Amino acid sequence: MKMLKAVLQPLVAQALSDLGGDASNLSSMLQASREWDQGDITLPCFPFAKMLGKAPAAIAEDLAKALSSHEAIGEVHAVNGYLNIKAAPAWLATNLLNPSNSHNAEIRTVLIEHTSANPNGPFHVGRARNAILGDTLVRLHRLHGNHVTAEYYVDDMGKQVAVLAWALQHLDATRVEELLSEREPINPAWDGKADHERVRWYQAAQILRQEAEGAQEIEDAISTLVHASENGDVDVLNSFEAAYQPVLDGMLTTLGRLGIHFNRFTKESEFVTNGDVSRLMDELGQLKINGIADNGANFLDLGARGLKGKTEFFYRRGDGSSLYATRDIAYHLWKWKQCNDLINVLGEDHKLQAKQVGMTLNELGERSPEVVFYSFIKLPEGKMSTRQGNVVFMDDLLEEAQAQAAAVVKELRPNYDAETIQTISEAVGTSAVRFNIIKVSPEKGFTFRWEDALTFEGGSAPFVMYSHTRACSIARKVEELSGDVPSFTPQHLQSETVMNEGMIGLLRCLAVHQDRLEKAVSEHRPHLFAGHLLQLANAYNGFYRDCHIIDEGVVNPFYFHVSELARTFLREGMEGVGIVPLETM
RNA sequence: GGGCGUGUAGCACAGCUGGAUAAUGCACCGGCCUCCUAAGCCGGAGAUCGCGGGUUCGAAUCCUGCCACGCCCGCCA
């Protein structure tokens, strides 16, 4: 409703100063109405009471009378000290349907790093929250018009890949299955998918590392590998890559099914081998807050910069090698060279680390990135843990979602052929899974429940998808019936003396579409836009109920143009949150 | 022990830069397919906004104390 506010503010300011009030803070006081029924824009009049020596209710009444008329203003009501203003539906329609209202927001170059999971095993639902959140941010920024690079930071040199590489070199399939005999066997559906296969090697190695016998030798061997990788040993790094790349490919296959893709993969080891990390450590050593431990390890005293709790941030070990966070800082310095805005999506367990990295960047005269943190997904039985078998793999969830969706399609549309059912159920299943996760705010601890993920009713992706297919169906029918409908002109509105509830509801919802997108993007809160999409779909359904676009074979051009605008907003919005915009379902 | 976060109807969740009768979905009760796709629409019922204080004309929202849960507090990643 920014467009309405822009028109109203000068008018309200005039009315207010005519009454002797101070209009200087008006912009922040004139707000979108909390109560959707009451109006589009509201001015609470309580703060003026003292200034004007009048009751708020009376001030609201006076303002309502003093407000000059304008084509944008539909209704003005003074209620309990609030001045409520509703936009004129015809004005809304004209503004929405005229393509002239192009918003020219500044285009930013944005680098979004997300997921970056260790390539040692398949995604479970918990780890996938990062990818779904991150990819939705990528999509929403693009919808907003920004240039976005979606980036995966590949941890190709840590202990986890070292363990995987060691296991693949020292164990065979028989030994692995022997060690994992008490665990559930691999789901036969994922035989041949490297993330599911190789994680068993990793798990077997983890078991061996726990055992008393021989554990020390394994530990030494792994440790040697880790150190070699940290020193940029090319052979070791190559062996690591050979170990993890098929796993990563498998993980990316899963994400691809969810419509998640990356523009670039950047390997952690790059910053070691190209010398950035050692140059960085030298630079950090020059800082005032640098400190040196007894064994020669280096740290920054971030307590001196206000960090509470643990104040020493170690960036160099006693043996001179770097730490994960050090490499992350080098990575950030590199990332900053190529964008205006930097966004990272991280689990809540990385909060302290991110704080340390951000403060160090500031110390070097660089900006901190924006970080979107999310809480972990739990299962009703408790924490997700691979070791206890308390885990839901994304691959399994997607299979199940698709199967459930297929069952629904078969029941609802018995005449559809197998291929159509497959297409629809795949789209419905994956969209439902994404939306189920994206619609809740990231900081909320999320409990995964099969019945919620597989709900295809109100509040879900299929609900939005269904409204969109209705709009598509109408567009197809209109096309068959009358070919091209002439583009919108204000004359189309002249027969609309009174607009019905469904039409007004949809116009109002369309009017806030851009505002909602902008807010979700600027605050990095995709769930706000997900909520708006549900509202938009709901508003479209009300419009569909009240406004028959085709009546006795005749197309109402005004209704049709509104429907088409809603269809466009729905489609773009769905793509923005990763819902597949099917045209039939 | 310290830091950060969460706590809203039976369940899940929105609202948190202070504003009205706390929004939505599921589940529950009742209605709507001779009419553009009923994965829909309409109506009903259901909330001491964790608990106690405080600031304010006004608090789910801000401050403070307490309680519960989660995450973190490695020269790991």
Side-chain angles (χ1 to χ4, degrees):
Chain A
M1 272 307 163
K2 279 196 179 148
M3 58 183 198
L4 179 63
K5 188 176 169 180
V7 171
L8 283 181
Q9 196 172 318
L11 302 179
V12 177
Q14 185 60 49
L16 190 58
S17 46
D18 287 351
L19 292 177
D22 175 13
S24 56
N25 283 328
L26 195 60
S27 184
S28 62
M29 293 168 65
L30 205 56
Q31 54 199 254
S33 308
R34 292 277 164 144
E35 305 291 320
W36 185 253
D37 294 341
Q38 295 286 358
D40 293 305
I41 298 273
T42 290
L43 181 72
C45 297
F46 306 94
F48 304 120
K50 236 171 227 169
M51 194 192 305
L52 297 179
K54 259 199 279 197
I59 298 171
E61 303 267 353
D62 293 346
L63 279 173
K65 280 180 208 140
L67 198 62
S68 355
S69 63
H70 188 279
E71 56 169 355
I73 301 175
E75 296 172 36
V76 179
H77 296 288
V79 184
N80 300 332
Y82 294 89
L83 178 68
N84 293 324
I85 302 169
K86 267 187 191 170
W91 181 83
L92 280 181
T94 309
N95 272 274
L96 287 164
L97 295 174
N98 275 328
S100 60
N101 61 348
S102 60
H103 68 297
N104 40 7
E106 186 198 358
I107 294 173
R108 312 275 299 171
T109 301
V110 186
L111 197 165
I112 299 179
E113 183 215 327
H114 68 86
T115 308
S116 304
N118 276 307
N120 62 358
F123 278 104
H124 62 233
V125 176
R127 290 166 100 187
R129 190 177 194 181
N130 190 315
I132 290 171
L133 235 183
D135 183 64
T136 305
L137 285 168
V138 168
R139 287 162 172 270
L140 289 177
H141 268 90
R142 288 189 177 140
L143 178 57
H144 190 58
N146 288 331
H147 295 309
V148 184
T149 301
E151 175 146 334
Y152 191 126
Y153 184 51
V154 183
D155 188 350
D156 66 337
M157 56 182 300
K159 192 166 265 180
Q160 301 205 25
V161 271
V163 170
L164 181 67
W166 180 89
L168 287 165
Q169 276 164 19
H170 293 85
L171 306 176
D172 58 32
T174 320
R175 179 79 176 119
V176 166
E177 290 313 314
E178 200 178 288
L179 285 161
L180 297 179
S181 58
E182 287 176 22
R183 303 274 188 89
E184 272 190 43
I186 186 170
N187 180 341
W190 310 122
D191 261 340
K193 197 163 179 287
D195 48 342
H196 287 271
E197 283 185 349
R198 293 198 174 189
V199 74
R200 298 184 76 75
W201 262 260
Y202 178 81
Q203 288 168 343
Q206 293 292 64
I207 289 173
L208 286 172
R209 289 175 70 201
Q210 307 289 317
E211 285 176 0
E213 214 169 307
Q216 194 51 52
E217 285 136 61
I218 297 172
E219 221 48 42
D220 291 345
I222 289 170
S223 193
T224 306
L225 288 174
V226 170
H227 278 267
S229 75
E230 280 167 6
N231 289 317
D233 183 316
V234 176
D235 289 340
V236 170
L237 286 172
N238 284 342
S239 78
F240 280 10
E241 183 166 347
Y244 76 72
Q245 192 60 51
V247 178
L248 182 56
D249 290 341
M251 295 163 73
L252 294 172
T253 301
T254 307
L255 295 186
R257 196 171 171 187
L258 284 162
I260 300 173
H261 304 280
F262 295 88
N263 300 111
R264 188 166 57 199
F265 296 85
T266 301
K267 291 190 241 172
E268 187 181 346
S269 61
E270 278 180 30
F271 302 99
V272 175
T273 51
N274 75 4
D276 280 0
V277 169
S278 73
R279 278 189 291 276
L280 169 65
M281 290 195 291
D282 291 344
E283 195 179 345
L284 292 174
Q286 305 301 311
L287 294 174
K288 267 186 201 152
I289 56 172
N290 183 63
I292 301 176
D294 294 343
N295 69 347
N298 289 59
F299 62 88
L300 298 184
D301 175 22
L302 294 178
R305 295 290 179 266
L307 185 67
K308 293 178 197 158
K310 174 161 172 72
T311 57
E312 291 177 352
F313 165 53
F314 280 89
Y315 65 88
R316 174 153 41 193
R317 292 197 186 95
D319 66 4
S321 62
S322 64
L323 288 115
Y324 176 82
T326 322
R327 288 167 237 140
D328 201 23
I329 293 163
Y331 174 46
H332 275 83
L333 292 170
W334 176 80
K335 282 197 284 189
W336 268 128
K337 287 181 194 151
Q338 41 206 311
C339 60
N340 304 124
D341 298 312
L342 201 47
I343 301 173
N344 298 336
V345 181
L346 296 173
E348 60 179 340
D349 54 338
H350 282 68
K351 276 186 181 177
L352 175 59
Q353 165 106 19
K355 183 85 188 158
Q356 292 167 332
V357 168
M359 290 178 81
T360 305
L361 285 167
N362 293 157
E363 202 63 22
L364 293 168
E366 191 52 271
R367 283 183 292 160
S368 319
E370 299 279 346
V371 186
V372 178
F373 293 105
Y374 62 93
S375 291
F376 296 119
I377 296 183
K378 308 180 285 278
L379 290 174
E381 301 79 36
K383 236 163 118 172
M384 259 193 227
S385 152
T386 316
R387 222 175 331 158
Q388 294 161 15
N390 188 31
V391 70
V392 175
F393 290 122
M394 190 40 93
D395 284 328
D396 292 323
L397 173 58
L398 292 177
E399 279 300 287
E400 186 62 25
Q402 191 270 330
Q404 296 262 353
V408 173
V409 180
K410 275 180 200 158
E411 194 189 326
L412 260 30
R413 315 275 184 258
N415 56 328
Y416 281 5
D417 61 54
E419 195 188 333
T420 309
I421 292 172
Q422 167 63 31
T423 306
I424 295 174
S425 59
E426 177 67 14
V428 166
T430 56
S431 300
V433 165
R434 276 189 75 129
F435 196 77
N436 182 240
I437 288 173
I438 211 63
K439 73 175 179 179
V440 327
S441 50
E443 67 274 14
K444 187 88 78 177
F446 183 98
T447 303
F448 174 82
R449 286 185 179 79
W450 283 98
E451 58 270 36
D452 292 341
L454 303 177
T455 288
F456 304 144
E457 297 171 333
S460 73
F463 174 82
V464 180
M465 296 167 84
Y466 187 70
S467 297
H468 177 253
T469 60
R470 279 178 151 174
C472 290
S473 168
I474 287 168
R476 280 193 301 270
K477 283 226 157 57
V478 169
E479 169 80 16
E480 284 167 25
L481 216 63
S482 59
D484 288 338
V485 174
S487 49
F488 174 78
T489 66
Q491 276 74 42
H492 288 141
L493 270 170
Q494 280 172 358
S495 55
E496 300 297 321
T497 45
V498 184
M499 295 206 198
N500 59 47
E501 201 185 323
M503 170 63 84
I504 295 172
L506 181 57
L507 289 174
R508 294 175 74 203
C509 199
L510 293 169
V512 298
H513 186 78
Q514 220 46 251
D515 301 349
R516 298 283 165 83
L517 174 62
E518 201 175 309
K519 189 175 163 82
V521 167
S522 66
E523 296 179 10
H524 323 303
R525 296 200 290 168
H527 73 282
L528 297 179
F529 193 69
H532 166 68
L533 273 185
L534 288 172
Q535 204 185 327
L536 179 59
N538 187 252
Y540 187 81
N541 289 337
F543 164 80
Y544 178 87
R545 176 195 68 219
D546 289 345
C547 300
H548 284 237
I549 291 149
I550 303 166
D551 194 21
E552 316 231 325
V554 179
V555 177
N556 178 320
F558 172 52
Y559 287 1
F560 177 63
H561 284 116
V562 172
S563 177
E564 285 294 275
L565 182 65
R567 181 162 75 93
T568 303
F569 279 10
L570 278 168
R571 178 173 41 78
E572 291 175 349
M574 289 160 80
E575 282 166 349
V577 299
I579 296 177
V580 181
L582 289 175
E583 301 192 354
T584 314
M585 65 186 276

